[in-house]
Amino acid sequence: MNLSSFVLYIASLLWLDFTDAKIGYFWHITDLHYDPFHNSQEFHRGCKHNRGNSEHSHRNGRHRDHTCDSSWPLIQSAAAFMAERHPDTLEFVLWTGDILSSSMEHLTEEIKLEAVRNVTDVLSRTFSSQFVFPALGHNDPPPSRRLVDMWMQWLPTEALQTFITGGYYTIEQSHSKLRIIVLNSVLWAGGAAKTEGPHKGRAQWEWLEHVLSKARRKSEMVYIVAHAGPGVEERHTAGSSTAAGGGELTPTANARLLHVIRAFSDVIAGQFYGHRHADTFRLIYSEGRPVSWALLTPSVTPRGAGSMSNPGLRLYKFDSNNGKVLDYTQYYLDVSHPQGELHWAVEYNVTQYYGLREISPASLDTLAEKIRHGHDRSLLTKYLTALRVRHVTDTECDTACVHVHYCAITRADFHEFRTCVRNPASALASRAPHKSAAMLLYAILILISS
Ligand SMILES: *[C@@H]1O[C@H](CO)[C@@H](O)[C@H](O)[C@H]1NC(C)=O
Ligand SMILES: *[C@@H]1O[C@H](CO)[C@@H](O)[C@H](O)[C@H]1NC(C)=O
């Protein structure tokens, strides 16, 4: 960017600050992992504790446990809570997949679709006057006529055309400049080549770049929404694709998605993913500068691969004129609540929790640095507490552990993550010095003097 365009950019930011934000809200819910056989003696793959210890999983008669996927009562309680918390200006709902428990994997398409239908029905009753935008996860049935029939209540005709062939689509909002792009990350994950053939994944790349270019020409801002996003799982410290569970982007797809996000960071207002069953964020850098953020919403299921969390639901507050995310409220349900109630409560509001002035790549980058340097140990504790949605089994995190978290947040590229983990010193060296504050001052001086 040359100086004059930079000045224009600053001027536009200042101008935006003086215009009225049109406050709206949207829910982001993900990884429900509904297990219809949660309480059945016949099928107990979803609930490990059922194995030879049925008493434990049925404690309080509530059928929920950190080792079990979501029971029907848990899903109903989440829906009832969202209905009750309904803000007047709720605009839409992002629903990023893994609707079904992985324990249903080997069941028939028929029963899977019936389970998806039941969850869909609950959501359409809960959000009777809003649109729900579903993204597919690796535990969901692939796109089909029957999925289309279920979701056509929410998706316009153009969206259904790409959904039926590839499971991805875009939503253009008539009343605002915000466009939503819902990707099918399954097409870019390992194993997709076997089931779908690589051509569908290729078609999605071409389509994505086309839609982003068009959005840029039309001066729209874009939300990227998918089940799995770029970056690594911090618990798999090797960051290798073999360590990753199902649904993970392949190294090639991960690198290409990062490339696309960098190339279009000027039109991407935010990225929203699920999949990791963790409350965390990812930053994407270009030439050492943070240019885009991804916020990961924790799962509704309390069960995780290797680690557990409490169920979470997230309500975003945004400027619906331009998609700028202003805040979010994270809600949670304490599964081990002593009274055994399905009681949802506020966990935190993000700007207040982390002391952020705004949600931007720069502010989240500063947060990542603060977590890393640990001058303020309370920020690290907050991060680790939120990560598992207050299901804290282990708050100990030594310097090496903090460093892995930092690398996971700031190194979405698989190679860079591995280098970062192996070599803490390189993590500092690879970052270009920040010149943005000086540039900003300079730009303001020019503005004032002209
Ligand atoms: C779906 O809901 C119907 C009606 O409540 C119920 O009979 C059926 O068992 C449910 N099936 C699944 C798979 O959830
Ligand atoms: C968090 O934000 C919500 C919605 O804006 C608000 O109603 C609530 O009072 C806030 N809670 C806290 C603890 O600040």
Side-chain angles (χ1 to χ4, degrees):
M1 190 179 318
N2 64 29
L3 189 59
S4 61
S5 67
F6 186 77
V7 169
L8 277 177
Y9 171 69
I10 294 298
S12 73
L13 285 185
L14 291 174
W15 181 78
L16 278 180
D17 273 346
F18 291 123
T19 58
D20 283 331
K22 184 164 160 263
I23 304 295
Y25 293 86
F26 63 91
W27 287 102
H28 181 188
I29 57 174
T30 194
D31 296 81
L32 272 63
H33 288 285
Y34 166 45
D35 180 3
F37 309 105
H38 189 280
N39 190 28
S40 155
Q41 297 304 308
E42 192 180 344
F43 293 91
H44 36 242
R45 281 164 294 196
C47 194
K48 283 187 212 151
H49 264 204
N50 265 349
R51 285 196 191 121
N53 190 1
S54 60
E55 244 167 81
H56 196 102
S57 67
H58 292 195
R59 65 176 174 199
N60 304 326
R62 291 289 176 177
H63 318 130
R64 56 204 165 75
D65 191 290
H66 276 296
T67 53
C68 299
D69 268 332
S70 299
S71 64
W72 189 243
L74 175 59
I75 294 196
Q76 283 177 311
S77 81
F81 178 76
M82 289 190 286
E84 183 195 307
R85 301 292 318 193
H86 226 310
D88 290 339
T89 51
L90 184 72
E91 305 243 341
F92 52 83
V93 179
L94 304 179
W95 178 26
T96 52
D98 275 9
I99 302 160
L100 305 180
S101 171
S102 54
S103 66
M104 295 184 74
E105 205 167 49
H106 305 293
L107 299 182
T108 62
E109 214 58 12
E110 197 63 35
I111 188 94
K112 287 186 192 174
L113 284 165
E114 184 185 310
V116 170
R117 144 84 53 207
N118 284 2
V119 179
T120 299
D121 286 349
V122 164
L123 292 181
S124 62
R125 283 196 299 274
T126 306
F127 305 110
S128 52
S129 52
Q130 283 81 26
F131 291 97
V132 177
F133 301 130
L136 293 170
H138 52 288
N139 285 311
D140 300 320
S144 65
R145 196 65 244 171
R146 291 174 65 188
L147 268 189
V148 163
D149 288 344
M150 280 182 221
W151 292 346
M152 62 192 295
Q153 56 176 323
W154 296 320
L155 304 185
T157 316
E158 319 84 81
L160 290 173
Q161 280 163 3
T162 51
F163 180 83
I164 185 76
T165 55
Y168 50 86
Y169 56 90
T170 178
I171 301 287
E172 184 176 357
Q173 313 235 79
S174 55
H175 59 285
S176 81
K177 282 286 196 183
L178 175 64
R179 173 181 290 280
I180 297 170
I181 295 181
V182 176
L183 297 171
N184 179 6
S185 62
V186 181
L187 295 180
W188 295 337
K194 273 180 273 154
T195 53
E196 300 282 352
H199 63 282
K200 284 197 178 177
R202 266 205 304 278
Q204 184 172 233
W205 287 119
E206 284 160 18
W207 173 84
L208 173 62
E209 294 189 19
H210 171 75
V211 173
L212 283 168
S213 304
K214 208 166 131 193
R216 180 182 276 156
R217 279 201 304 280
K218 295 170 76 178
S219 310
E220 294 169 335
M221 292 307 281
V222 167
Y223 283 175
I224 303 280
V225 178
H227 176 64
V232 300
E233 159 72 73
E234 58 276 286
R235 288 165 301 216
H236 295 137
T237 50
S240 67
S241 52
T242 48
E248 216 62 42
L249 301 185
T250 64
T252 318
N254 187 67
R256 182 156 180 189
L257 184 53
L258 291 176
H259 177 80
V260 172
I261 291 163
R262 281 188 193 105
F264 290 95
S265 62
D266 57 323
V267 294
I268 297 173
Q271 304 168 61
F272 304 88
Y273 306 114
H275 176 56
R276 299 220 176 276
H277 299 203
D279 177 345
T280 181
F281 60 103
R282 298 288 180 259
L283 287 162
I284 288 137
Y285 297 81
S286 178
E287 293 164 3
R289 254 183 356 105
V291 293
S292 191
W293 54 253
L295 293 174
L296 279 66
T297 292
S299 59
V300 170
T301 182
R303 186 177 171 212
S307 75
M308 300 134 193
S309 58
N310 278 313
L313 297 167
R314 184 174 288 186
L315 183 65
Y316 277 95
K317 177 180 176 183
F318 74 123
D319 182 345
S320 57
N321 282 323
N322 54 21
K324 181 160 178 49
V325 168
L326 303 171
D327 206 350
Y328 68 73
T329 305
Q330 181 63 47
Y331 296 97
Y332 81 116
L333 181 145
D334 184 357
V335 166
S336 51
H337 193 275
Q339 268 86 54
E341 295 295 322
L342 289 168
H343 177 71
W344 291 87
V346 173
E347 186 190 355
Y348 67 86
N349 285 351
V350 73
T351 53
Q352 184 196 38
Y353 190 64
Y354 288 126
L356 303 173
R357 268 182 46 243
E358 59 166 5
I359 296 175
S360 66
S363 68
L364 291 170
D365 173 61
T366 306
L367 174 62
E369 291 299 329
K370 283 185 182 161
I371 289 171
R372 169 168 203 258
H373 292 295
H375 299 311
D376 183 359
R377 192 84 195 164
S378 73
L379 270 184
L380 172 66
T381 306
K382 281 181 172 180
Y383 175 74
L384 294 174
T385 306
L387 190 66
R388 301 281 156 249
V389 199
R390 289 203 191 172
H391 176 70
V392 185
T393 47
D394 186 9
T395 46
E396 285 304 305
C397 192
D398 61 12
T399 314
C401 155
V402 173
H403 186 69
V404 171
H405 283 291
Y406 170 79
C407 294
I409 292 168
T410 60
R411 301 298 192 279
D413 179 88
F414 294 168
H415 293 295
E416 284 183 27
F417 174 75
R418 281 193 291 270
T419 311
C420 177
V421 168
R422 260 192 251 114
N423 184 0
S426 79
L428 283 179
S430 73
R431 296 287 302 278
H434 289 252
K435 296 208 185 81
S436 46
M439 283 285 279
L440 185 72
L441 256 179
Y442 190 29
I444 289 169
L445 279 177
I446 289 179
L447 267 183
I448 292 169
S449 63
S450 62

